[in-house]
Amino acid sequence: MKVKIKIDKNYEKPLCVIYTSEVSDEINEYLKLLSKSSEKTLTGRNGEDIVIIKPDEINNIYTANGKIFAVTSRGEYSVNTRLYKLEETLDSKKFVRISNSEIINLNEVKSFNLKISGTICVEFFNGKSTYVSRRYVSKIKERLGM
């Protein structure tokens, strides 16, 4: 792939244009990378308060009773974005899905405790813990290089 950069003071934000004869897997990968390049923030709600949540602040995101919650060191906030959309948006190097209802930030994980029963307990630096569902154990082990 050829890359060309033009400096033009008329553009306040970068503009990326891809010329191609067809949309290939390679192009789709570039599109994913480009869309993730700028750090996106989430809007969370705690009672009457609406707060901006930076991805690096998030310990984990989970669903309960049909609602989605983002857990940070500042507290727990309800989020209006669907879990699968968050998974697509968040940096896949930092965030990993551990069940159908939870995504964790690997940078906030203190340890992974492999139980005799075959489950994995995830312990966070904030003292809380959660479990990897059986369906995701092999994916997590692969991600951790086990």
Side-chain angles (χ1 to χ4, degrees):
M1 173 184 224
K2 291 183 190 177
V3 178
K4 189 185 283 189
I5 297 176
K6 290 185 178 183
I7 307 297
D8 187 339
K9 301 288 182 193
N10 293 322
Y11 290 93
E12 290 181 26
K13 291 185 176 183
L15 171 67
C16 179
V17 178
I18 298 174
Y19 295 94
T20 183
S21 60
E22 64 181 13
V23 178
S24 63
D25 290 340
E26 180 186 22
I27 297 298
N28 283 326
E29 286 300 314
Y30 286 120
L31 290 173
K32 280 185 192 176
L33 287 171
L34 288 169
S35 65
K36 288 182 182 180
S37 65
S38 60
E39 184 177 283
K40 297 184 175 26
T41 56
L42 299 173
T43 307
R45 180 177 223 123
N46 187 349
E48 296 295 316
D49 297 333
I50 297 175
V51 298
I52 303 296
I53 305 168
K54 293 179 182 173
D56 287 342
E57 295 177 306
I58 298 170
N59 290 338
N60 60 315
I61 303 169
Y62 70 94
T63 60
N65 300 323
K67 292 186 179 182
I68 299 159
F69 298 95
V71 179
T72 71
S73 59
R74 294 183 290 159
E76 196 168 297
Y77 303 94
S78 66
V79 179
N80 287 334
T81 309
R82 299 244 184 235
L83 205 60
Y84 76 92
K85 282 287 190 191
L86 290 170
E87 185 179 19
E88 290 172 1
T89 305
L90 295 168
D91 185 353
S92 61
K93 292 177 184 153
K94 297 177 185 175
F95 292 88
V96 65
R97 192 164 196 144
I98 62 165
S99 71
N100 284 340
S101 61
E102 190 166 8
I103 298 171
I104 61 169
N105 182 348
L106 292 172
N107 292 337
E108 296 298 322
V109 174
K110 180 179 177 183
S111 66
F112 290 92
N113 187 347
L114 282 71
K115 304 286 185 183
I116 295 172
S117 62
T119 61
I120 299 175
C121 179
V122 180
E123 296 179 28
F124 295 102
F125 287 114
N126 66 5
K128 295 184 180 180
S129 62
T130 188
Y131 287 88
V132 176
S133 74
R134 278 187 253 149
R135 182 176 179 192
Y136 287 84
V137 167
S138 62
K139 291 178 185 176
I140 295 299
K141 284 183 174 181
E142 181 181 315
R143 179 75 183 271
L144 297 174
M146 300 172 69

